């Protein structure tokens, strides 16, 4: 259950200036592809169309009845600035409990309103810089959290964000058929929407785990600077030829057993969600997405030519580790389905107790044995 710590408080917002984060991201985001008003309108309509027609395919592939009715959530086609603003709203919900606890732990430390505003501006600007980078990389995202914000106008089931300029940029870069690529992307993102509809407990479970992780990280502020320096050094000294990506220098800040356990669980859940979505997007045949093989091949190869600066930022944020989640999670899903069928795999959505551990993601037999399948 969601604890009362998710209620808004007067002090917590001052720690991060969310409005500044959104405006900074909008200002720093690189420009998208040049499109006329007519081209933009056509692309938006086409993305909405592909988002709609992908849902029956997700139902056919997953067998999840939740795909039959998604009316409690919305599909939004957005630009980079809107994506960044939407994520500040989600982060505000996810980090609220940790920020509140951090304030409470420092209740005896006086901070003037001016100092609090300056601190919030610094962290807001820093977050905005990160979002500006990410806003040009993300194709789509299902957001189940913003609906929990006070006075939120987001539907109870959340919202699916499709970042039009990024989708168009990548389809042009890959030189693939726009309709095929857009449907392929929508299959992945709509699967996330269906996952949370099939497991209504999952949103609160994820929030609880994020609260543990962020609470541990922010709660250990006395050693945060020291750990940040060590993480930066580790990133600097990392061998660029290493084939196995780390989780990112930011997550290398986590050291104690509680922090590592929280990270392990979140990693396993994210691997499951991303891997399952990848299995769905690749399960369609050429009768649905005619060029699916070409898309997958070219999409996988596009990361090989990244520049030094982008590789550094991706390592810092752990984005290459996220790509590994797609691979590890997809392997887990395929192996379970091969043994227990899709019906057996779908037991994972029944309760948090059935979620795989990180060890089970890497060895599906362990999960199958635990589930008696």
């Amino acid at each position: 259950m969601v604890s009362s710590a998710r209620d808004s408080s007067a002090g917590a917002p001052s720690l991060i200036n969310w409005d500044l984060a959104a405006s900074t991201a909008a200002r720093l985001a690189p420009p998208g592809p040049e499109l006329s008003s007519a081209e933009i309108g056509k692309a938006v309509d086409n993305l909405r169309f592909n988002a709609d027609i992908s849902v029956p395919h997700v139902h056919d592939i997953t067998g999840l009845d939740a795909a039959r009715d998604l009316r409690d959530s919305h599909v939004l086609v957005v630009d980079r600035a809107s994506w960044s603003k939407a994520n500040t709203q989600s982060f505000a919900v996810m980090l609220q409990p940790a920020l509140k606890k951090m304030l409470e732990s420092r209740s005896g430390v006086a901070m003037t309103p001016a100092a609090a505003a300056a601190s919030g501006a610094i962290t807001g600007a820093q977050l905005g810089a990160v979002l500006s980078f990410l806003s040009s990389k993300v194709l789509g995202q299902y957001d189940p959290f913003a609906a929990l914000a006070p006075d939120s106008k987001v539907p109870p089931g959340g919202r699916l964000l499709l970042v039009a300029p990024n989708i168009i940029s990548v389809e042009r870069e890959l030189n693939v058929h726009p309709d095929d690529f857009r449907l392929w992307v929508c299959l992945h993102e709509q699967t996330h929407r269906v996952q949370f509809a099939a497991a209504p407990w999952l949103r609160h479970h994820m929030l609880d785990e994020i609260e543990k992780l962020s609470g541990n990280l922010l709660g250990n502020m006395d050693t945060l600077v020291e750990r940040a320096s060590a993480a930066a050094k580790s990133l600097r000294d990392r061998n660029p030829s290493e084939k196995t990506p780390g989780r990112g220098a930011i997550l290398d800040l986590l050291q104690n057993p509680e922090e590592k356990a929280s990270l392990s669980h979140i990693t396993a859940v994210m691997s499951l969600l991303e891997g399952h979505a990848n299995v769905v997007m690749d399960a369609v045949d050429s009768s649905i997405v005619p060029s699916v093989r070409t898309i997958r091949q070219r999409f996988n190869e596009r990361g090989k030519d990244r520049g030094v600066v982008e590789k550094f930022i991706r390592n810092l944020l752990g984005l290459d580790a996220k790509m590994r989640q797609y691979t590890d999670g997809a392997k887990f899903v395929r192996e379970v389905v091969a043994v227990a069928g899709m019906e057996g795999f779908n037991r994972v959505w029944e309760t948090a107790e059935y979620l795989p551990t990180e060890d089970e993601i890497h060895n599906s037999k362990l999960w199958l044995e635990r589930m008696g399948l």
Side-chain angles (χ1 to χ4, degrees):
M1 295 298 292
V2 176
S3 66
S4 58
R6 299 206 209 299
D7 297 335
S8 62
S9 65
S14 67
L15 293 174
I16 300 177
N17 188 324
W18 300 108
D19 290 337
L20 181 59
S23 62
T24 300
R27 177 170 52 84
L28 297 179
E34 294 186 6
L35 297 169
S36 66
S37 297
E39 288 174 322
I40 293 174
K42 185 178 180 180
V44 169
D45 290 342
N46 184 252
L47 283 167
R48 287 186 178 279
F49 172 77
N50 279 293
D52 287 340
I53 66 172
S54 65
V55 176
H57 297 310
V58 174
H59 176 261
D60 291 343
I61 295 167
T62 65
L64 292 171
D65 287 338
R68 293 184 183 275
D69 189 355
L70 299 174
R71 287 177 294 180
D72 67 340
S73 57
H74 284 174
V75 175
L76 301 177
V77 181
V78 299
D79 58 15
R80 292 169 178 175
S82 297
W83 177 87
S84 295
K85 183 176 181 179
N87 272 267
T88 63
Q89 296 166 351
S90 294
F91 286 149
V93 172
M94 289 188 285
L95 295 180
Q96 175 68 24
L99 294 175
K100 184 177 180 180
K101 288 180 180 178
M102 182 178 171
L103 276 177
E104 291 172 348
S105 69
R106 279 158 163 56
S107 58
V109 180
M111 179 178 286
T112 66
S119 176
I122 292 172
T123 52
Q126 292 171 336
L127 176 59
V130 173
L131 288 173
S132 71
F133 173 79
L134 296 176
S135 70
S136 65
K137 309 298 177 185
V138 176
L139 300 182
Q141 174 189 1
Y142 177 64
D143 172 16
F145 302 124
L148 299 178
D151 302 320
S152 174
K153 297 181 181 179
V154 177
R159 58 191 175 187
L160 177 63
L161 308 172
L162 298 172
V163 191
N166 297 347
I167 293 173
I168 294 170
S169 292
V170 173
E171 69 192 27
R172 290 179 175 179
E173 175 190 343
L174 300 181
N175 191 27
V176 293
H177 193 283
D179 268 342
D180 284 6
F181 184 71
R182 294 170 190 180
L183 178 56
W184 189 69
V185 170
C186 287
L187 284 166
H188 181 102
E189 302 306 335
Q190 288 284 35
T191 300
H192 287 317
R193 195 177 175 205
V194 170
Q195 290 165 345
F196 280 85
W201 48 267
L202 182 58
R203 173 170 60 177
H204 291 166
H205 177 75
M206 289 294 292
L207 280 176
D208 287 337
E209 294 301 320
I210 291 169
E211 179 180 344
K212 291 178 187 177
L213 185 59
S214 58
N216 282 327
L217 180 58
L218 296 177
N220 295 329
M221 293 298 291
D222 293 338
T223 62
L224 186 59
V225 174
E226 179 182 346
R227 287 184 289 158
S229 299
K233 182 179 185 300
S234 172
L235 179 63
R236 184 190 65 198
D237 297 340
R238 186 171 293 163
N239 185 348
S241 65
E242 289 179 0
K243 295 183 178 180
T244 302
R247 283 169 169 154
I250 289 178
L251 295 183
D252 287 342
L253 297 175
L254 306 176
Q255 291 184 350
N256 69 43
E258 292 80 10
E259 292 171 348
K260 291 182 178 180
S262 296
L263 177 59
S264 177
H265 182 71
I266 291 175
T267 298
V269 176
M270 292 305 299
S271 296
L272 170 72
L273 300 180
E274 298 294 356
H276 180 238
N278 259 23
V279 168
V280 171
M281 73 193 301
D282 286 345
V284 297
D285 58 26
S286 58
S287 66
I288 300 173
V289 181
S291 56
V292 63
R293 289 189 177 183
T294 300
I295 290 172
R296 167 54 75 188
Q297 179 182 359
R298 294 180 183 177
F299 190 81
N300 287 343
E301 291 176 350
R302 67 186 291 265
K304 295 180 180 179
D305 298 325
R306 293 192 180 104
V308 174
V309 174
E310 182 175 345
K311 287 180 179 178
F312 178 88
I313 295 174
R314 293 182 69 87
N315 277 331
L316 181 68
L317 299 175
L319 297 183
D320 288 326
K322 180 176 175 64
M323 295 305 296
R324 187 175 63 182
Q325 288 177 355
Y326 294 163
T327 302
D328 294 347
K331 182 174 180 288
F332 169 82
V333 174
R334 291 190 177 101
E335 289 177 351
V336 170
V337 171
V339 174
M342 189 61 74
E343 183 177 354
F345 167 79
N346 281 342
R347 292 190 62 190
V348 78
W349 312 117
E350 294 178 10
T351 171
E353 295 177 358
Y354 292 170
L355 290 170
T357 65
E358 194 170 9
D359 286 341
E360 290 170 341
I361 285 287
H362 297 294
N363 185 352
S364 61
K365 291 182 180 179
L366 297 177
W367 186 83
L368 287 164
E369 290 174 359
R370 178 163 68 89
M371 297 296 296
L373 296 171

